[in-house]
Amino acid sequence: MRLRDELPVDHRLARVYRYGAGLCGVILLVFGCLGFADQLTPFDTNGTRISGMSTNGVLSLISVVVGLALIGGAVVGGNLASTLNMTVGTLFLLSGFLHLFVLDRPANVLDFGMSNVMFSFAMGLLIACFGMYGRVSSKLPHDNPYWRRRHPREAAREALAARRRASQAALTPGQDPAPTPALLRSQD
């Protein structure tokens, strides 16, 4: 069994994944392009600041590449955008923790400051939440495809009951449906 077999395709949640990936991708792309516009040197750690965060040429390049990947995921959409969002969000969180430990040390080659660490945590949580929206919850609605994948027996029972109700309604066309409150009010 492959992961792509477990994930539903063309669900309304795909819009959330797409918009989330696109929004975060544009933010990262703008940050990276501002770094390139400032003509930063690749591994400079002297504290050049852009948008309140310290940066260098390599961090700008990484921001552009990740931003383009997220925008590409937004264009493709669907399960790819969701999985990409969760993966990139997790990588941002891990980067935040890693750079928290290397602040003010020679291993800080991306010139991270505390504002970068906070941005990494915030962006990672935002991107991961966009990716997990509608996939990870204890109270998913029964029409959610992820709920159906996790509860195949219950989903099959509900589908069978719905088919039986539909066939029963088709077999008894002469009967009037039960009167609704709106129908009763219109008859008064």
Side-chain angles (χ1 to χ4, degrees):
M1 174 172 29
R2 291 185 215 128
L3 179 62
R4 68 178 176 174
D5 297 334
E6 290 296 314
L7 301 174
V9 181
D10 297 332
H11 193 263
R12 65 183 182 271
L13 294 172
R15 283 182 294 202
V16 174
Y17 308 145
R18 291 179 98 156
Y19 293 146
L23 172 71
C24 295
V26 167
I27 291 169
L28 291 171
L29 188 62
V30 167
F31 176 74
C33 288
L34 287 174
F36 284 136
D38 209 18
Q39 298 178 351
L40 301 172
T41 56
F43 291 102
D44 186 21
T45 58
N46 68 359
T48 305
R49 300 186 74 75
I50 294 187
S51 301
M53 294 182 284
S54 58
T55 187
N56 60 22
V58 175
L59 184 58
S60 294
L61 177 65
I62 292 170
S63 297
V64 167
V65 169
V66 172
L68 288 174
L70 286 172
I71 291 171
V75 169
V76 173
N79 297 329
L80 176 75
S82 174
T83 304
L84 183 67
N85 283 352
M86 287 193 309
T87 303
V88 169
T90 302
L91 290 174
F92 262 84
L93 290 172
L94 291 174
S95 172
F97 281 116
L98 173 78
H99 286 97
L100 187 62
F101 292 113
V102 298
L103 284 176
D104 298 327
R105 296 205 172 110
N108 189 5
V109 294
L110 296 180
D111 194 28
F112 260 55
M114 190 51 133
S115 59
N116 295 71
V117 170
M118 298 309 291
F119 176 79
S120 186
F121 285 141
M123 185 61 81
L125 286 173
L126 182 66
I127 295 171
C129 284
F130 276 129
M132 287 188 257
Y133 183 77
R135 286 178 74 166
V136 181
S137 175
S138 63
K139 298 181 194 258
L140 292 174
H142 290 216
D143 70 334
N144 186 303
Y146 297 104
W147 181 89
R148 290 175 184 263
R149 290 287 184 177
R150 292 180 193 142
H151 304 93
R153 288 184 181 159
E154 293 173 35
R157 272 192 300 242
E158 287 180 5
L160 181 62
R163 282 195 303 270
R164 285 183 181 163
R165 283 191 302 271
S167 66
Q168 183 66 25
L171 291 176
T172 56
Q175 291 183 344
D176 289 335
T180 62
L183 184 61
L184 292 175
R185 273 186 254 129
S186 67
Q187 292 175 355
D188 288 337

